[in-house]
Amino acid sequence: MEENAIDENINSLLDAIRESSIYKEYRKHEESLGRNPELKKRVDRFRGENYRIQNECEKDELFDIVEKMEKESQTLRGCPEVNEYLDAELALCRMLQKICEKLMNGIDISIPGII
Protein backbone atom coordinates (compact mmCIF):
# COMPACT_ATOMS: atom_id res chain seq x y z
CA MET A 1 0.00 0.00 0.00
CA GLU A 2 2.81 2.45 0.86
CA GLU A 3 4.59 1.91 -2.47
CA ASN A 4 1.36 2.62 -4.32
CA ALA A 5 0.94 5.91 -2.47
CA ILE A 6 4.54 6.89 -3.25
CA ASP A 7 4.12 5.97 -6.91
CA GLU A 8 0.89 7.95 -7.11
CA ASN A 9 2.53 10.98 -5.55
CA ILE A 10 5.52 10.71 -7.88
CA ASN A 11 3.13 10.59 -10.82
CA SER A 12 1.33 13.66 -9.44
CA LEU A 13 4.66 15.46 -9.13
CA LEU A 14 5.56 14.52 -12.70
CA ASP A 15 2.18 15.82 -13.90
CA ALA A 16 2.74 19.08 -12.00
CA ILE A 17 6.20 19.48 -13.54
CA ARG A 18 4.83 18.81 -17.04
CA GLU A 19 2.05 21.36 -16.48
CA SER A 20 4.40 24.02 -15.12
CA SER A 21 5.12 27.12 -17.17
CA ILE A 22 8.85 26.40 -16.83
CA TYR A 23 8.54 22.97 -18.45
CA LYS A 24 6.16 24.21 -21.15
CA GLU A 25 8.58 27.03 -21.99
CA TYR A 26 11.44 24.55 -22.20
CA ARG A 27 9.49 22.24 -24.52
CA LYS A 28 8.49 25.16 -26.75
CA HIS A 29 12.11 26.21 -27.21
CA GLU A 30 13.29 22.62 -27.61
CA GLU A 31 10.78 22.10 -30.43
CA SER A 32 11.79 25.39 -32.05
CA LEU A 33 15.47 24.48 -31.95
CA GLY A 34 14.64 21.01 -33.26
CA ARG A 35 13.44 22.57 -36.51
CA ASN A 36 17.08 23.38 -37.26
CA PRO A 37 18.83 19.98 -36.98
CA GLU A 38 22.36 21.27 -37.63
CA LEU A 39 22.07 23.97 -34.99
CA LYS A 40 20.48 21.49 -32.57
CA LYS A 41 23.40 19.13 -33.16
CA ARG A 42 25.89 21.93 -32.33
CA VAL A 43 23.97 22.87 -29.19
CA ASP A 44 23.75 19.24 -28.06
CA ARG A 45 27.48 18.76 -28.64
CA PHE A 46 28.14 21.90 -26.58
CA ARG A 47 25.81 20.74 -23.81
CA GLY A 48 27.45 17.30 -23.73
CA GLU A 49 30.92 18.80 -23.53
CA ASN A 50 29.79 21.18 -20.80
CA TYR A 51 28.41 18.26 -18.79
CA ARG A 52 31.65 16.30 -19.26
CA ILE A 53 33.74 19.25 -18.07
CA GLN A 54 31.66 19.66 -14.94
CA ASN A 55 31.87 15.98 -14.06
CA GLU A 56 35.09 14.53 -15.45
CA CYS A 57 37.60 17.22 -16.30
CA GLU A 58 41.13 17.12 -14.86
CA LYS A 59 42.31 20.30 -13.16
CA ASP A 60 45.37 20.74 -15.37
CA GLU A 61 43.26 20.95 -18.54
CA LEU A 62 40.38 22.88 -17.02
CA PHE A 63 41.48 26.43 -17.91
CA ASP A 64 41.98 25.75 -21.62
CA ILE A 65 38.76 23.80 -21.94
CA VAL A 66 36.70 26.39 -20.08
CA GLU A 67 38.14 29.14 -22.27
CA LYS A 68 37.22 27.17 -25.40
CA MET A 69 33.73 26.49 -24.04
CA GLU A 70 33.21 30.17 -23.24
CA LYS A 71 33.98 31.09 -26.86
CA GLU A 72 31.59 28.43 -28.14
CA SER A 73 28.93 29.60 -25.69
CA GLN A 74 29.21 33.18 -26.92
CA THR A 75 28.93 32.03 -30.52
CA LEU A 76 25.91 29.82 -29.87
CA ARG A 77 24.19 32.31 -27.58
CA GLY A 78 24.48 34.90 -30.34
CA CYS A 79 21.54 33.06 -31.89
CA PRO A 80 18.34 34.11 -30.05
CA GLU A 81 16.81 30.67 -30.63
CA VAL A 82 19.73 28.97 -28.86
CA ASN A 83 19.87 31.54 -26.09
CA GLU A 84 16.16 31.08 -25.31
CA TYR A 85 16.53 27.30 -25.34
CA LEU A 86 19.56 27.27 -23.01
CA ASP A 87 17.88 29.74 -20.64
CA ALA A 88 14.73 27.59 -20.56
CA GLU A 89 16.80 24.45 -19.98
CA LEU A 90 18.62 26.14 -17.09
CA ALA A 91 15.32 27.20 -15.50
CA LEU A 92 14.02 23.62 -15.76
CA CYS A 93 17.23 22.20 -14.27
CA ARG A 94 17.05 24.65 -11.37
CA MET A 95 13.45 23.65 -10.70
CA LEU A 96 14.42 19.96 -10.68
CA GLN A 97 17.40 20.68 -8.38
CA LYS A 98 15.08 22.51 -5.99
CA ILE A 99 12.70 19.53 -5.95
CA CYS A 100 15.57 17.10 -5.26
CA GLU A 101 16.96 19.35 -2.54
CA LYS A 102 13.57 19.55 -0.83
CA LEU A 103 13.21 15.78 -1.01
CA MET A 104 16.67 15.20 0.46
CA ASN A 105 16.18 17.81 3.17
CA GLY A 106 12.77 16.36 4.04
CA ILE A 107 14.13 12.86 4.70
CA ASP A 108 16.11 12.06 7.81
CA ILE A 109 19.00 10.02 6.43
CA SER A 110 22.64 10.13 7.41
CA ILE A 111 25.00 10.19 4.45
CA PRO A 112 28.72 10.43 5.32
CA GLY A 113 30.46 13.42 3.78
CA ILE A 114 27.21 15.28 3.07
CA ILE A 115 26.42 18.32 5.17
Side-chain angles (χ1 to χ4, degrees), residues 48-97:
E49 183 68 12
N50 191 29
Y51 178 83
R52 189 190 72 74
I53 288 169
Q54 291 180 31
N55 292 287
E56 302 170 3
C57 193
E58 297 293 326
K59 288 182 182 179
D60 58 334
E61 61 185 23
L62 189 58
F63 181 78
D64 292 335
I65 292 173
V66 169
E67 191 173 295
K68 176 185 163 208
M69 292 297 295
E70 182 62 30
K71 288 177 185 175
E72 179 70 7
S73 176
Q74 287 176 350
T75 301
L76 287 171
R77 283 190 172 268
C79 176
E81 189 176 43
V82 172
N83 199 45
E84 290 168 348
Y85 170 73
L86 292 175
D87 286 348
E89 180 186 51
L90 180 60
L92 177 60
C93 288
R94 286 186 176 154
M95 179 178 69
L96 295 174
Q97 286 172 336

Side-chain angles (χ1 to χ4, degrees), residues 95-107:
M95 179 178 69
L96 295 174
Q97 286 172 336
K98 184 177 177 183
I99 290 167
C100 289
E101 184 178 309
K102 284 186 175 190
L103 286 171
M104 289 302 296
N105 289 337
I107 302 297

Side-chain angles (χ1 to χ4, degrees), residues 14-73:
L14 289 169
D15 289 341
I17 291 169
R18 288 184 196 111
E19 290 301 315
S20 72
S21 60
I22 290 172
Y23 183 74
K24 288 178 180 179
E25 186 76 7
Y26 166 75
R27 292 290 298 151
K28 178 179 85 172
H29 293 296
E30 182 182 49
E31 288 173 19
S32 175
L33 188 60
R35 288 191 281 276
N36 185 338
E38 280 304 311
L39 184 57
K40 175 80 166 94
K41 189 184 289 185
R42 280 184 60 204
V43 170
D44 286 346
R45 193 171 33 249
F46 171 79
R47 291 169 58 238
E49 183 68 12
N50 191 29
Y51 178 83
R52 189 190 72 74
I53 288 169
Q54 291 180 31
N55 292 287
E56 302 170 3
C57 193
E58 297 293 326
K59 288 182 182 179
D60 58 334
E61 61 185 23
L62 189 58
F63 181 78
D64 292 335
I65 292 173
V66 169
E67 191 173 295
K68 176 185 163 208
M69 292 297 295
E70 182 62 30
K71 288 177 185 175
E72 179 70 7
S73 176

